[in-house]
Structures are given as structure tokens and as C-alpha cells.
Amino acid sequence: MIEQLPTLPAGVLGFRMHGLVTAADYENVMVPDIEAAFALNPKLRIVVHVGDDFTGFAPGAMWDDVKLGFRHFSGWERTALVTDVGWIRVMSSMFGFAMPTHFKLFSNAELDDALRWVSQI
């Protein structure tokens, strides 16, 4: 499941992933919000929190994530990933440098730091 993070500063989108994340979660929650934000602003800042109760991605969910990223390849200004999920931390550490954004990885205990960082101008 994906849900919006509440009360974020203007210009920042935030999402929390928990349980099993499906392609429908991307299509019904993230994609509409991100597309609407890009309609208003050519650059976006985003924080994604993958919580301790995250159990994985259903088939197709990761593909939707990749498609969304490439559809707006040059539009990501800052991306904060907040998680303690080991394999996600490893993958993002290995491939974060290739993302077309200022990318930073945070632990769950650093969620407030991630929100501050992604909001900086």
C-alpha cells in the first residue's frame, strides 16, 4: 500500500510504502499526484518512506516505478529515500548515483532529517 505523507512543505511530495505495494498503488496514488505536481512545476522534490511493515513489491509495481521515473527523467530535483529495509538500502546505495536527481538515503529514525533535507532550497 502507498499513502501520502501529510503536511509537507509546498513543492514537496511524500509517500509512505507499507505492506505489499502493488502496481495499482502506483497508478492510483503516486502517479496522479506526481503528474499533477509536474503540471504545475518542472522540478519536483520527493520523499519516499518505506516503513518497517513493508513486505515487498507485487509483480508490476517495480516496473511502474521505473516507468514513472523515466517519464520525467530530468524533473527530479531532490529525492530522499527513508528506509531500514536492508535490500532496498543496498540497491539504492549501489544505484543512487545513477538517478537524475540529488539523492540521499536516510534511516527510519532520520525521517525528520530527510524532510528537512528535501525541503532545502
Side-chain angles (χ1 to χ4, degrees):
M1 169 179 266
I2 300 174
E3 60 188 13
Q4 296 172 330
L5 290 175
T7 62
L8 295 177
V12 176
L13 293 177
F15 300 95
R16 177 172 288 121
M17 296 182 180
H18 56 93
L20 181 66
V21 173
T22 67
D25 294 327
Y26 275 95
E27 294 162 10
N28 296 325
V29 180
M30 285 186 85
V31 171
D33 286 353
I34 289 172
E35 294 296 347
F38 271 121
L40 299 172
N41 192 338
K43 295 284 189 181
L44 290 185
R45 295 164 177 256
I46 188 168
V47 60
V48 177
H49 180 204
V50 182
D52 288 335
D53 58 347
F54 172 80
T55 58
F57 292 103
M62 291 289 287
W63 179 240
D64 277 358
D65 187 42
V66 169
K67 289 189 307 186
L68 182 62
F70 279 112
R71 190 164 44 243
H72 299 287
F73 190 75
S74 63
W76 307 103
E77 188 170 7
R78 279 189 179 216
T79 301
L81 176 60
V82 181
T83 189
D84 289 337
V85 176
W87 70 268
I88 294 176
R89 291 186 65 83
V90 168
M91 295 297 288
S92 64
S93 294
M94 289 173 45
F95 298 108
F97 74 92
M99 295 176 64
T101 182
H102 295 287
F103 174 79
K104 194 164 181 184
L105 180 62
F106 296 86
S107 69
N108 285 339
E110 299 172 309
L111 178 59
D112 290 338
D113 294 334
L115 293 170
R116 276 189 294 279
W117 178 81
V118 83
S119 301
Q120 291 174 349
I121 296 177

